């Protein structure tokens, strides 16, 4: 079941969008969970990465949709965003936050269904594999797309993810073998890095979500080649 957030401060539009979602679900034999937020601020304050799609009004009282999207993109690169707006001049700005599309008010069901088709196709393509680890509190299922890097600490591994850090008793060589061919690379003996989350390279380190992880001299050439392949060139 996909989880959709409607971020809209006008009740009539929020209800209309929810009706459209359930109509689309009935027509396509899909089930959706829908959560409504009245302002971008409400969404950002409670955001924990559980949504597949955000239907976001741009003009809202306390925090506009563009600002909310910028804040969400600091933590979540996977969620799909469709802006709902009265003005088409926001389309270009939408690219800045990797918005999938925008819909002009008043929203027709035909146009909305087409946009939803597009969003669900993108979501399906972005759904990644998972890895299971054992922690002190039980078994944890981690989406590879949410796994930033793995850190070796003595006899433990720390999985740094979009939802926090999780510790398991494992060797980094075993994790490296399990993730072979899935876009991960050892930057040095302590770090196994998800290349899709590398934001840049500076001072001999790769930058991932504000953290700098050392790239050893021995691995630098291979690391840069792997990063180049991951980026498509």
């Amino acid at each position: 079941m996909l989880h959709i957030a409607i971020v809209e401060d006008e009740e009539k539009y929020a209800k209309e969008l929810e009706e459209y979602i359930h109509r689309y679900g009935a027509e396509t034999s899909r089930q959706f969970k829908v959560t409504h937020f009245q302002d971008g601020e409400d969404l950002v304050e409670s955001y924990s990465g559980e949504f597949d799609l955000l239907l976001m009004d741009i003009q809202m009282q306390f925090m506009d949709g563009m600002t909310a999207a910028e804040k969400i993109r600091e933590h979540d690169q996977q969620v799909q965003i469709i802006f709902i707006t009265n003005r088409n001049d926001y389309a270009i700005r939408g690219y800045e936050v990797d918005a999938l599309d925008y819909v002009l008010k008043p929203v027709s069901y035909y146009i909305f269904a087409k946009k939803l088709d597009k969003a669900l196709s993108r979501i399906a393509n972005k759904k990644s594999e998972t890895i299971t680890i054992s922690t002190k509190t039980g078994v944890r299922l981690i989406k590879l797309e949410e796994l930033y890097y793995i850190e070796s600490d003595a006899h433990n591994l720390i999985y740094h993810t979009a939802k926090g850090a999780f510790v398991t008793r494992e060797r980094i060589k075993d994790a490296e073998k399990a993730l072979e061919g899935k876009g991960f690379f050892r930057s040095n003996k302590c770090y196994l890095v998800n290349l899709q989350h590398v934001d840049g390279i500076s001072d001999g380190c790769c930058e991932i979500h504000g953290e700098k992880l050392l790239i050893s001299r021995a691995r630098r050439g291979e690391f840069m080649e792997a990063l180049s392949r991951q980026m498509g060139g």
Side-chain angles (χ1 to χ4, degrees), residues 197 199 206-212:
H197 285 293
D199 298 316
C206 59
E207 299 176 5
I208 298 181
H209 291 268
E211 296 188 59
K212 288 189 173 183

Side-chain angles (χ1 to χ4, degrees), residues 49-165:
E50 72 270 37
F51 300 108
D52 298 291
L53 172 64
L54 307 179
L55 300 175
M56 185 104 70
D57 185 21
I58 287 185
Q59 295 171 298
M60 292 180 285
Q61 183 177 1
F62 297 105
M63 182 183 291
D64 65 89
M66 193 64 65
T67 300
E70 289 170 351
K71 292 183 178 298
I72 285 167
R73 280 291 182 241
E74 293 175 3
H75 308 286
D76 189 345
Q77 298 296 318
Q78 301 300 318
V79 66
Q80 299 303 305
I81 299 173
I82 295 178
F83 285 119
I84 313 295
T85 178
N86 290 310
R87 297 166 50 184
N88 59 14
D89 57 337
Y90 281 102
I92 294 177
R93 284 198 64 197
Y95 289 112
E96 297 173 8
V97 292
D98 192 28
L100 175 66
D101 214 328
Y102 72 101
V103 180
L104 287 175
K105 295 179 180 179
V107 181
S108 77
Y109 175 72
Y110 176 78
I111 295 296
F112 179 80
K114 292 293 184 184
K115 305 291 187 182
L116 201 49
D117 277 339
K118 184 178 178 181
L120 296 183
S121 178
R122 175 82 73 89
I123 291 168
N125 289 337
K126 284 200 168 187
K127 288 292 184 182
S128 72
E129 298 177 63
T130 60
I131 190 169
T132 304
I133 64 172
S134 296
T135 69
K136 289 183 178 180
T137 57
V139 174
R140 185 85 192 185
L141 190 68
I142 297 173
K143 294 180 181 179
L144 297 192
E145 65 195 26
E146 296 179 348
L147 176 56
Y148 299 155
Y149 66 94
I150 300 172
E151 177 184 3
S152 178
D153 180 23
H155 298 292
N156 296 321
L157 292 185
I158 305 172
Y159 283 69
H160 296 266
T161 80
K163 295 181 179 178

Side-chain angles (χ1 to χ4, degrees), residues 9 19 22 103 140 167 208:
D9 59 352
E19 289 173 2
H22 292 308
V103 180
R140 185 85 192 185
V167 180
I208 298 181

Side-chain angles (χ1 to χ4, degrees), residues 32-45:
F32 299 98
K33 178 181 179 181
V34 179
T35 301
H36 178 216
F37 297 90
Q38 290 189 323
D39 193 84
E41 188 175 58
D42 298 331
L43 172 68
V44 169
E45 286 182 352

